[in-house]
Amino acid sequence: MKANLVRVLAVVCAWAWVVGCGRSSPPQSAIPHALPEPPRVATCEPGQPGGRLVLVAAAPPRTFNPVFALDNASDQIARLLFGVLVQFDFASQEVVPGLAESWSVTSDGRQWTFKLRRGLRWSDGHPLTSADVLFTWNDVIYNPRIRVPLASVFRLKERGFAVSAPDEHTVVVVTPEVFAPFLEFFGSVPLLPKHKLQDLARGGNFLLAYGVDSSPDKIVGAGPFRLKESRPGRYTLLERNPEYWTTDRTGRRLPYLDELQIVVTADAGDAAERFLSGQSDVCERIRSQDFTRFQAAAAEGRFRLIELGPATERDFLWFNQNTNVNRISGQPFVAPHKLTWFRNAAFRQAVSCALDRERIAREAYDGRAVPCETYLGAETARWYNPNVPRFAFNPNRARTLLAQAGLQDRTGDGIVEDEAGRVCEITLLTNAGNPTRAKVASLIAEDLRRTGIRLNVHLVSFDTLERKINEEFDYESAFMGLSGGGADPASHLNVLQSAEPLHQWFPNQPQPASDWEARVDALMEAQMRTLDFAARKQAFDEVQAILAEQLPMIYTVTPIRHVAVSASLANLRPAILAPSPVAWNADELWLKIR
């Protein structure tokens, strides 16, 4: 589940160092300085430098300022332009050194010490030291005048982290209490150059920094690439950062690529056409309707079609368990008798057992999906618990569970009724404009009808669906999904904790509405307050078991994700959890033939 709930559009205004859009600039540093000591050494196979890699994006970036890069397009570019203390290797699902060569933590789990590589440089050649780390945190992220959205993640009980630097190569961070995902979360925040941005931070004009109209030579970072040219709404062109602090094992400085261009496409169909016509090197999202064409073209040897396995994007249905009433009308959000059904675990288990997931995969996804019954899938290898209760397709079991919930066919018409004779008829909302989702919803309705539940599917606009789910709460059931998400359990807090807004079936609870939700709350809090992986895993394993038993979210299938890549692209390490499954390790990629 993705944790970036707030989306910020940086307001970019004309200012002294901000120039007209589309301007390209000469290199910032023609002669690179010596490598830092020690450089980071990548484990990739040695490659050859040169060439331009062309990627596509569904939308243009809104900003080049990494602390406001909350949309996918901005985040993709920020990952390429800026450096971090530690990096997350999406292939191994492990944290590895970045700008910091090492780190340590005290026995109480609250004081962390990072050792920076000596001789680090920003892309303009200026030294990068601990002063830049302090600036990033104390002058920007924790600056109350700037209001950085991610600052709230790094406050515990309203207290921020104490960030200090005893010398130019050492950073010490003290947290108010143990913060389990500290290394991955704190360490992966992009660092900002004090020498370029301190005046803006002091003046309270930080929203002006690093806008999409900024002159490329003013965008200074410490990532593998730097900005060469920006054509807002059309493309972003990056070039190799000559001061990058990583080498391959032969000592050659990375990245290999001369340039990396990200082109904005009108839609997914345009992205497919661009790739199939040879205008881009990677297609990271192949639509179901395009798969046959890609498969045929790949057979001709024009490119490689790679199966990544089950994706992280999964749709699910849920029933509204909100016990509150509308403050204006005084009426309950859900009819009391239906609320009784929805809050009964046996009812939700029956619905899960009624779903023929194999059929859904076959008919809605042409077989390119696998049944999904659990909150996490095996793709999250480090945290996945395979030993949870399962309520797979079993119509007889579904009818038995419905009877346990007090619902039986009392009239012989094939539809179950409760003890008061009320027909089990439910309205399911899902969004229009998504043919696959609409197909799945219709299959769900057919499956439930066979079990005795009359499900009426209503297709509404996505805006209407979001409003009813997140603001009005006057619906019975819904079918949609949450996508993305990190590997760490902390990434799931906004869904699993009862007080959070993405606790879809009953959000924003002042107190847990059920014993099992209270237990999930306690377990999620407990795993956040220890650095012992075994203890965290045990707690999150139990959370997954509770969710599998209670089924507040009833999953259907997981699509199998395929990507297409140019035959000349080397050093691929595809990772299903990465925001960009193919290009996440762009500093290691190289082109064999150009």
Side-chain angles (χ1 to χ4, degrees):
M1 303 299 169
K2 208 160 191 173
N4 55 330
L5 305 179
V6 181
R7 297 197 178 269
V8 175
L9 177 60
V11 180
V12 182
C13 304
W15 208 62
W17 55 276
V18 180
V19 300
C21 66
R23 178 173 172 179
S24 58
S25 298
Q28 300 167 331
S29 175
I31 302 175
H33 294 81
L35 284 161
E37 180 58 41
R40 173 180 171 266
V41 180
T43 58
C44 63
E45 291 296 321
Q48 296 298 318
R52 173 190 288 186
L53 179 69
V54 180
L55 307 177
V56 296
R62 297 174 176 178
T63 180
F64 294 139
N65 190 325
V67 299
F68 296 120
L70 300 180
D71 59 288
N72 292 335
S74 299
D75 177 68
Q76 180 184 25
I77 293 173
R79 291 172 184 271
L80 299 168
L81 294 178
F82 296 93
V84 293
L85 290 173
V86 301
Q87 297 177 314
F88 188 76
D89 186 306
F90 285 100
S92 66
Q93 298 184 23
E94 298 284 349
V95 173
V96 297
L99 292 167
E101 61 168 305
S102 64
W103 57 84
S104 61
V105 62
T106 53
S107 59
D108 66 358
R110 294 181 52 241
Q111 180 171 307
W112 294 78
T113 300
F114 294 94
K115 290 293 183 181
L116 300 181
R117 303 177 192 278
R118 295 174 180 268
L120 290 166
R121 299 276 176 172
W122 291 100
S123 59
D124 63 355
H126 195 278
L128 189 163
T129 69
S130 60
D132 296 294
V133 184
L134 267 60
F135 168 76
T136 299
W137 285 94
N138 298 335
D139 296 344
V140 176
I141 293 175
Y142 285 136
N143 187 332
R145 292 184 300 174
I146 296 177
R147 297 182 181 178
V148 176
L150 59 81
S152 61
V153 176
F154 300 101
R155 285 195 175 96
L156 304 177
K157 298 180 179 178
E158 305 303 321
R159 297 168 59 196
F161 299 175
V163 187
S164 60
D167 61 60
E168 66 177 12
H169 301 114
T170 306
V171 175
V172 177
V173 186
V174 180
T175 61
E177 56 187 355
V178 174
F179 183 62
F182 175 88
L183 194 57
E184 181 182 340
F185 280 31
F186 183 95
S188 63
V189 171
L191 298 186
L192 298 167
K194 179 179 179 180
H195 70 286
K196 296 295 292 187
L197 298 176
Q198 60 180 333
D199 289 342
L200 281 177
R202 288 171 182 166
N205 298 316
F206 202 73
L207 281 173
L208 303 176
Y210 290 5
V212 293
D213 288 342
S214 300
S215 176
D217 66 326
K218 302 298 184 183
I219 306 290
V220 174
F225 296 90
R226 61 188 185 186
L227 186 63
K228 183 175 183 179
E229 186 177 3
S230 173
R231 298 282 180 179
R234 295 175 55 196
Y235 65 82
T236 304
L237 181 62
L238 310 180
E239 65 180 353
R240 177 192 292 118
N241 174 11
E243 303 286 359
Y244 191 48
W245 33 275
T246 298
T247 73
D248 64 17
R249 56 179 186 248
T250 70
R252 182 189 293 275
R253 199 168 204 152
L254 300 183
Y256 295 113
L257 298 168
D258 286 337
E259 295 178 335
L260 191 155
Q261 185 178 38
I262 301 175
V263 179
V264 178
T265 58
D267 53 39
D270 183 51
E273 293 302 329
R274 183 177 292 273
F275 179 84
L276 291 171
S277 64
Q279 298 178 64
S280 67
D281 296 295
V282 176
C283 185
E284 292 193 309
R285 190 170 298 276
I286 299 174
R287 300 181 305 174
S288 178
Q289 59 264 44
D290 294 328
F291 183 81
T292 301
R293 293 175 61 205
F294 273 82
Q295 195 173 40
E300 299 173 1
R302 295 166 51 191
F303 54 84
R304 285 175 286 172
L305 193 62
I306 302 174
E307 181 178 311
L308 299 183
T312 57
E313 300 88 354
R314 302 180 298 172
D315 287 349
F316 58 93
L317 71 145
W318 73 92
F319 298 92
N320 190 353
Q321 298 185 46
N322 197 320
T323 61
N324 293 322
V325 299
N326 187 301
R327 293 181 181 179
I328 298 176
S329 68
Q331 297 299 311
F333 291 127
V334 184
H337 69 283
K338 293 188 178 183
L339 188 62
T340 299
W341 305 340
F342 299 164
R343 291 181 60 78
N344 190 318
F347 173 82
R348 301 190 298 271
Q349 293 165 359
V351 171
S352 181
C353 289
L355 300 184
D356 187 346
R357 294 171 173 85
E358 294 282 0
R359 178 182 175 224
I360 291 173
R362 184 174 61 253
E363 296 189 14
Y365 290 89
D366 294 325
R368 292 184 294 277
V370 294
C372 174
E373 300 147 14
T374 58
Y375 177 73
L376 282 190
E379 70 278 357
T380 313
R382 183 173 170 82
W383 296 102
Y384 173 59
N385 178 11
N387 303 312
V388 300
R390 304 268 177 170
F391 293 88
F393 180 53
N394 187 329
N396 290 333
R397 189 183 185 190
R399 296 184 186 95
T400 299
L401 287 164
L402 283 177
Q404 290 178 18
L407 292 162
Q408 293 179 288
D409 182 6
R410 304 174 193 277
T411 63
D413 64 352
I415 301 298
V416 297
E417 298 88 19
D418 63 14
E419 293 177 353
R422 288 171 294 219
V423 172
C424 187
E425 184 169 6
I426 301 165
T427 297
L428 177 77
L429 300 182
T430 193
N431 60 292
N434 186 325
T436 300
R437 186 170 287 168
K439 175 65 174 178
V440 175
S442 69
L443 293 174
I444 290 172
E446 290 178 13
D447 286 343
L448 294 188
R449 176 63 180 80
R450 294 188 184 99
T451 312
I453 297 173
R454 183 178 293 148
L455 190 73
N456 302 313
V457 177
H458 286 190
L459 301 180
V460 298
S461 71
F462 190 77
D463 289 344
T464 298
L465 182 60
E466 279 200 315
R467 186 179 69 252
K468 285 186 171 292
I469 290 169
N470 299 326
E471 299 174 23
E472 298 174 357
F473 311 122
D474 62 340
Y475 68 98
E476 294 179 350
S477 65
F479 179 57
M480 57 183 300
L482 295 171
S483 64
D488 194 284
S491 301
H492 305 263
L493 288 170
N494 60 342
V495 174
L496 299 184
Q497 289 194 315
S498 60
E500 293 295 326
L502 282 183
H503 195 73
Q504 300 281 189
W505 59 97
F506 189 172
N508 306 313
Q509 298 177 27
Q511 297 293 330
S514 61
D515 290 342
W516 67 267
E517 286 171 292
R519 179 59 179 166
V520 169
D521 283 357
L523 289 166
M524 292 302 291
E525 176 64 20
Q527 64 82 27
M528 287 289 288
R529 302 294 166 243
T530 178
L531 300 180
D532 184 319
F533 173 75
R536 295 190 73 202
K537 179 70 163 63
Q538 182 178 11
F540 200 46
D541 277 356
E542 185 179 344
V543 168
Q544 293 174 67
I546 292 171
L547 294 173
E549 182 76 29
Q550 294 294 330
L551 290 172
M553 298 170 285
I554 303 171
Y555 287 94
T556 54
V557 299
T558 304
I560 295 173
R561 188 162 179 180
H562 294 82
V563 296
V565 298
S566 166
S568 63
L569 192 58
N571 274 347
L572 292 170
R573 289 202 293 147
I576 192 68
L577 293 184
S580 181
V582 172
W584 70 271
N585 63 325
D587 59 336
E588 301 174 341
L589 300 179
W590 61 284
L591 295 163
K592 295 179 181 178
I593 303 170
R594 255 311 182 255

